[in-house]
Every structure is written in structure tokens, then in C-alpha cells.
Amino acid sequence: MMLVVVMVSCSTTRRLSIEDPLYTGVKRVRIEAMEREKLPTSVKDAVKEAVNVTPNNSLISPTIRHPFPIGLWVYNNWNNPPSGIKHWLYEKLVEEPVLLSDVRPELRVKMIDEILENNGYFSADVNYELIRGKNPKKVRIAYDVNTGPIYRIDSIELLPDTTHLYHIIDSVAKKSSLLTRGMRYCTDSLSELRIEIANQVRNRGYYFFRPEYIEYLADSTISQRNIALRMAVANDAPTDAFKRYVTGDIMVYVHRNEGGGIPDTIETSRGRIIQMTPSRLRNQLIPECVAFREGKVFSVRDMNRTQTYLSRLGIFKDISIDVVPDTIKDNRLNVVISCTQDAPLELSMEVNATSKSNSYLGPGLAVGVTNKNLFGGGEQLNVSLTGSYEWQTGRNRNSLFNSYEFGIKTSLSFPRLLAPRFIPRRRRVLNWTRLSLDAEILNRPHYFKMAQFNAAMTYDWQATRYASNSLTIGKITYTKLLNTTVEFDSIMSENLAVAQSFQNQFVPQIAYSYTYDRRLNKNNSINWQFTVQEAGNICWALWELAGGDGEKRMFNTPFSQFIKGYTQLVYNHRLVGEHWLVSRLATGVAHAYGNSTQVPYSEQFYVGGANSVRAFTVRSIGPGSYRVPNATANDYFDQTGTFKFEMNMEYRFPIYGMFKGAMFVDAGNVWLLKGDSQRPGGTLRSSSFFRDLALGTGVGLRLDIGMLVVRGDLGIGIHAPYDTGKSGYYNMTSFKDSLAFHLAIGYPF
């Protein structure tokens, strides 16, 4: 406290002058458009961005500042020692003041004038005012902008249709929405049109054409508030830009990862391949990735596709494509592709530590080996061993030997669909066929030891630019309880529905997932996921055809029969700058029938935790208004359901550098579709649906370093769906008991 008092008493302007005062931010930006004319949001944002100079000790944004300008205090009140710890401390704390001369408001006014002129406001009036307070060495700036009338494009004159190139340019311009009569004059739109034109003509043989070779001549004197626009070709454009090329010789060089080797030449329909041997590549692998063809009109699109096709194999560490004019035929472009293979084997190791709400903590380890080119066609074989160990801490520990699990996971992935051709797919992205085989042992010493085996075959493909698909045509899971404890048996005997979900069983499944991920514009994006899976129906049909009756079995073990669906919609909206409002709506339903009375425990839904309703821990609420008596340690068996509904809304904002902040509101719960007398209040009912929704809010801090996000969220409970002994909607027993902290990796949604 004494240090704070001393620092507050220090001046932050002692070394500054009145002629060049300290800049403390923007007082206002007043923008006025003409009557009945609405200023576009993009123009308004550009004007505000031009004056958005960050002052000292800014907090969340340049307009909000914290009251502790430590760097300025050090700058104005400390002398810079030449060396020693005082010099080190000075260098760490000092902050150069942002002065009026650094902001240069007269330059900001010129920038605004230019922004408005580029957007069709040629008669704008822009000025600024310096506002001083009690301290004459501090100043804020107020900007006043009067846009004047809008100038619109009245007439458009394109290039004369005398050559093939001009015909393409005119055709692109006529079809584009970036240039239409009556639109507001905007240089950004005209620049985008130039890029669009250049991309089109470069895909039709004019490889050396560039956007800057298109010019616009604008005349605002012919008609009041109107622009007459003429398109022209730059006089200094080189002759090569007007020449149409075809693809010449195609050469592909494939180098070994270790270097060296003996060259082996292969003549293919897609060019000559010179491969350094020994090398493990199928002969047709490279030709399948080359989009060029000799004699075909040269296209930049073919260059991009070839780069993409080769990169997606995942077996090259370096790929380059060079275009060289033919020295004999001047209308041909020769293509030289160079690829260097990556190391075929990759070793990965992941170490983690877990701390759970039930007082269990412990380390985990995963070691994996991947062969990225098993059969010479980019096939990936991955084998990984996983293991974790947990022990119970605190007063509840009663066993020296605690929980553990270990397993082996294997997968073989082919970078293509081993499937019928009628499945639509995009060649621009990688389509996969995946075979997997897993085995796992799970030991809970106070309850049970369980073994689980999984085998699956899955197709992953992208049919459109925004839509991806995943089809598991066959997955079978076998779960077996190896042994159980008396305590676990007593829990199961009290709740038959939970016991049936733990029984030994086969789960033969077919599943399909659809994902639509699209950025609508620079301020909005949407992600929709939908998954549906069924289990046991094919086996049930085969059993019926065979004339079987009674409980249907597979290898003398009952198989599960159910259907399950889940969907999630996430909408991202940019408020301003890097301030985002992210919303999620998720729901799921599962129903057992036929050969099963209950959905397997592993396929049921739950809520709570770091990626759900963050004011509550995992499996601590639901189903419905049910609550385990006395909050025993065994309650997590009961906290699942067959219907789920969840809503989340999160405001994300920057704080400083890599640190981001968040404020959120979460609501959700799970219910039972079938009544259970052992879990009263757990059945889904419309009359109590909204009352059964758990509600919480909270704040979060995130460290975002690009590839990794470390997140800490503090949830605050507002409403618990069960009876807490308190009346009213806010029924938390105390503020302290309503808090839940979650540390996680990645954003919650």
C-alpha cells in the first residue's frame, strides 16, 4: 500500500513539455452523413481504425485505460542507471510516452480524407480538436467528420472486344457484382475486380498477366455526384502479358530424404519423372498428383492443384514448382516440379497429468510410432501405447493401489477412398479410408476391472468446399467386466437401469457425421455438426431371418440395439476488432429398443465440466432434477441420460498480447427418456424442462500462443436443477459453493 501511495504521488508528465503533451486517447469520433444516407459499416470502421492510436497504459482497448501507468512513472521519475540491477529493473519497467507528435492528428485527418475519397465521398470535411484537462501536459483528441454526398458510378466503358484477352476481361467484368451501374464508387471493390480478372485470365493461358495491368479512368465532371468509369490496359504492360501459353515439357524430380541415390527415369502421360532410388513410391503415385498435361492451355489453377495434391500425401518435406518459358517454342511454358521426401518414421510422446473433482490425480503417458508411407502410396500406419495411473488423495483415500488404465491403439489410413465411385468427393482435399483396432483395460479397484475392444472402418471425405463427411460402415465394440467388487455390485443391485448399461455386450454400429463449416464474411462464421449412429439393427435382422427367438446374441453374448443422434450449431460474430460473441446450441437423443432395455453407459450423455456447463463439475447434475442422496462418492454412475440439451454464449476479447479474456453464460442438463424409479425427477417432461436447466455464468482467462490455447474458466452457479434447500430461482447454498474452476486446453467450442 505504501508503494502504491508513493507511485500515485509521482508525476507521469514531469519530463514532458506543453508543446508536445502526453496523448491520452480519443475523446470522440463524430461521423455525420448527409440526410437519408447511411454510412456503410466498413467505411465507418476504416475511419475509426485510422485514428485508433493506442495510448499508454491501455487496458482492453485504446479507449479504456488502467489507473496504474507504471512505465510512465518510471520514465518521468527515475534516472536510468548505467549498469547493475537498477539498470535492469529500469529497462524492464520503463515505457516511452506516446506524445501528440507521435499521433500526428493532422496526418490522421489526411488519412480519413483519403479513406472517404476511396469510398465515393469526394466532398468530405474532416477536422480535429485538442482537448486539454487540468494538466496542460495531457491531451485528448476529438475528430469531427462530415462525409458529404455519395458519388455513384453512372456509366461503365469496358475494353474494346478486339482480342481474346479483352473478351475474357470484359466477360468477367460484366458478370461481377463488384462493378455495376448505380453502385457507390469504391476503390477497394475496383481493386478486387482487378484481382478477379487477373485470376481468370491466368487460368486461361495468360500466365504473366498481373492485376496492375488493369487501370480505371474516372470522371466526376460529366454529371453531378456521378462517376463515368472507363477501363483501360496499362501502357507499360509487357508484351508477355498479352501472350497465351500452353503447357510444354513436364519434369518431376523426386529426391530422397537422405540425399544422393541413383536416378531412375519414368515416362508417363503426365510428364517425365526422375526418381532417386532406392525409393519406396508407387509408379503411379506422382502422376496421379500432377494436374498439368502437355499441350493443354496453361492454368495457374493446375499449378495450385498439383501443389495441393502432392502436399496432402504427407510424405514430402519440400515441394517447389517452377515455370520456365520454352527456348524453342515461345508459346510454351515448361514445368519443373521438385519434391524431397520426408523421413518415413515419426515418433511421438505425450505426457500429461490429471486432477479430477473426486480427489483423484495422477500422470499419463502415450507413445506412438507412425509410418507415413507404408506401401509406397502415402498410407499411414500408427501404433500407440497409452497408460495412466491415478491415486486418491485427501481423507477419502483407502487404498494404496489405485486406479489405472492402459491400452494399445492401431490404425491404418489410406489417403484415398477405397469405396464405390458414386460417393461424391473433392480432389482438392484429402479423402481417407481408415481401419482401426484398439484394446483397453480399465481398473477401478473399488468398483471393477473392465476390458474393451474396438474395430472400425471409416470413410472421411469432403463433397463440397464447406461440407465434410465421415461414414463408419462398420464398428464393433466388445465390453466385458473382468471382475467387480462387493461395493460395485451393491450399487448395481439398487439401480437396475444403470446395471444393464454395464453388462457384457457387443455393440455393432454404423455411424455417419456431417460437418458444415463456413465463414460467411469477415465478421460471421458458422459451424454445424450432425451425427447419427445405430447399433445392432443389422444383427437383429439377420437373427430374425435365421428364425431365432428370445434374446439375440453374438458369440453367445448379447448385442446392444439402439439409435443415437447429436447435433451442434456454433455461430461466431465479430463485434469489433478482436471482440467476438460466440454462441452454441447442442442437443442429443439416444433410445434403446429391441434387444436392449438401456443404452450402453459409454453412449449416454452427460453435462458439466470445462466444455459444457462450467459452473458445475463433470457429471454433477442430472438427469433432470434428480440428485444422489448425501452426495456419495458413487454418484457419478447415475449422472447420465438419454436426452441432452445445452446452450452456451461467450464473449471473447483481447487483454494484452497473448492473453485473452472471456465472459460466458451456460445452461443445460440431461434427462431420461424412460422413467426410472431409482432416479426420481430424471424423466424428461415439458412442464419442468426450463426449471431443470442448470444455469451458470463466469469469467475466463486464456493464453493463446497460436498453435496452443491454455484456458482457465471460473464458473459461478446461478441455478441448480435439484433441490438445494433454498427457495427462489437463485438456489445456490452459498457463493463459495457455487464456484467451479476448470483448467483446459483449447477453446470450449
Side-chain angles (χ1 to χ4, degrees), residues 669-682:
N669 205 342
V670 293
W671 292 265
L672 302 172
L673 294 181
K674 297 180 180 180
D676 184 357
S677 59
Q678 301 297 323
R679 289 181 281 181

Side-chain angles (χ1 to χ4, degrees), residues 526-591:
I526 188 173
N527 179 280
W528 178 53
Q529 300 177 28
F530 171 75
T531 300
V532 61
Q533 59 190 94
E534 67 83 24
N537 290 320
I538 295 179
C539 294
W540 179 87
L542 294 175
W543 186 280
E544 287 290 317
L545 289 174
D549 55 3
E551 185 181 45
K552 301 168 178 59
R553 294 173 172 267
M554 177 184 295
F555 302 110
N556 205 32
T557 301
F559 59 82
S560 182
Q561 190 174 1
F562 66 89
I563 187 168
K564 177 181 177 182
Y566 178 81
T567 185
Q568 171 181 289
L569 178 65
V570 179
Y571 179 71
N572 295 267
H573 174 67
R574 186 199 303 269
L575 300 174
V576 61
E578 291 303 313
H579 296 251
W580 290 84
L581 186 64
V582 184
S583 306
R584 176 174 70 166
L585 178 65
T587 185
V589 60
H591 176 63

Side-chain angles (χ1 to χ4, degrees), residues 199 202-204 207 298-305:
N199 290 338
R202 295 186 75 208
N203 284 327
R204 302 187 187 185
Y207 175 73
F298 190 88
S299 173
V300 175
R301 186 182 294 111
D302 290 337
M303 181 185 297
N304 295 334
R305 286 176 176 174

Side-chain angles (χ1 to χ4, degrees), residues 417-705:
L417 289 188
L418 306 179
R421 292 292 179 182
F422 63 79
I423 296 181
R425 65 201 78 172
R426 298 182 84 225
R427 286 196 62 198
R428 294 187 182 183
V429 295
L430 204 57
N431 304 305
W432 289 94
T433 301
R434 306 181 191 275
L435 306 175
S436 61
L437 184 64
D438 308 333
E440 184 179 27
I441 298 292
L442 174 64
N443 183 68
R444 296 290 183 260
H446 303 307
Y447 303 114
F448 59 83
K449 179 183 289 187
M450 176 186 290
Q452 181 168 297
F453 304 91
N454 294 285
M457 180 176 182
T458 303
Y459 294 136
D460 295 326
W461 79 95
Q462 191 161 348
T464 67
R465 182 178 180 181
Y466 307 109
S468 57
N469 306 266
S470 179
L471 174 63
T472 301
I473 62 172
K475 177 182 178 181
I476 186 166
T477 301
Y478 176 61
T479 303
K480 182 176 179 59
L481 282 172
L482 300 178
N483 56 62
T484 60
T485 65
V486 175
E487 184 177 2
F488 180 79
D489 293 338
S490 64
I491 297 172
M492 295 299 102
S493 63
E494 295 175 0
N495 196 323
L496 182 61
V498 176
Q500 289 174 339
S501 67
F502 271 95
Q503 69 177 351
N504 298 338
Q505 58 188 314
F506 280 99
V507 186
Q509 296 185 56
I510 296 177
Y512 171 75
S513 296
Y514 174 85
T515 301
Y516 183 84
D517 191 2
R518 183 175 184 179
R519 184 167 185 173
L520 305 176
N521 49 54
K522 67 177 182 179
N523 295 323
N524 299 277
S525 65
I526 188 173
N527 179 280
W528 178 53
Q529 300 177 28
F530 171 75
T531 300
V532 61
Q533 59 190 94
E534 67 83 24
N537 290 320
I538 295 179
C539 294
W540 179 87
L542 294 175
W543 186 280
E544 287 290 317
L545 289 174
D549 55 3
E551 185 181 45
K552 301 168 178 59
R553 294 173 172 267
M554 177 184 295
F555 302 110
N556 205 32
T557 301
F559 59 82
S560 182
Q561 190 174 1
F562 66 89
I563 187 168
K564 177 181 177 182
Y566 178 81
T567 185
Q568 171 181 289
L569 178 65
V570 179
Y571 179 71
N572 295 267
H573 174 67
R574 186 199 303 269
L575 300 174
V576 61
E578 291 303 313
H579 296 251
W580 290 84
L581 186 64
V582 184
S583 306
R584 176 174 70 166
L585 178 65
T587 185
V589 60
H591 176 63
Y593 56 94
N595 208 46
S596 300
T597 57
Q598 296 295 330
V599 177
Y601 185 78
S602 60
E603 298 291 345
Q604 295 186 24
F605 302 106
Y606 61 88
V607 293
N611 300 318
S612 183
V613 184
R614 284 162 281 185
F616 301 88
T617 57
V618 177
R619 290 187 174 92
S620 62
I621 50 177
S625 60
Y626 169 74
R627 189 181 190 186
V628 175
N630 302 322
T632 62
N634 308 324
D635 59 359
Y636 74 92
F637 291 122
D638 300 325
Q639 308 296 100
T640 59
T642 51
F643 182 84
K644 175 180 179 178
F645 182 81
E646 188 175 330
M647 299 182 296
N648 312 84
M649 182 173 291
E650 183 170 283
Y651 167 51
R652 300 173 183 172
F653 54 87
I655 297 179
Y656 181 78
M658 296 182 295
F659 289 96
K660 316 291 182 182
M663 294 185 292
F664 55 83
V665 177
D666 303 321
N669 205 342
V670 293
W671 292 265
L672 302 172
L673 294 181
K674 297 180 180 180
D676 184 357
S677 59
Q678 301 297 323
R679 289 181 281 181
T683 308
L684 178 65
R685 300 185 187 280
S686 59
S687 58
S688 59
F689 178 80
F690 291 102
R691 190 171 61 251
D692 287 349
L693 288 175
L695 180 65
T697 185
V699 294
L701 179 66
R702 289 86 193 272
L703 177 62
D704 188 345
I705 58 177

Side-chain angles (χ1 to χ4, degrees), residues 182-202:
M183 67 177 290
R184 173 176 55 86
Y185 176 84
C186 178
T187 56
D188 287 342
S189 297
L190 297 178
S191 296
E192 287 184 38
L193 178 59
R194 295 200 311 178
I195 296 173
E196 185 178 321
I197 290 173
N199 290 338
Q200 290 286 345
V201 299
R202 295 186 75 208

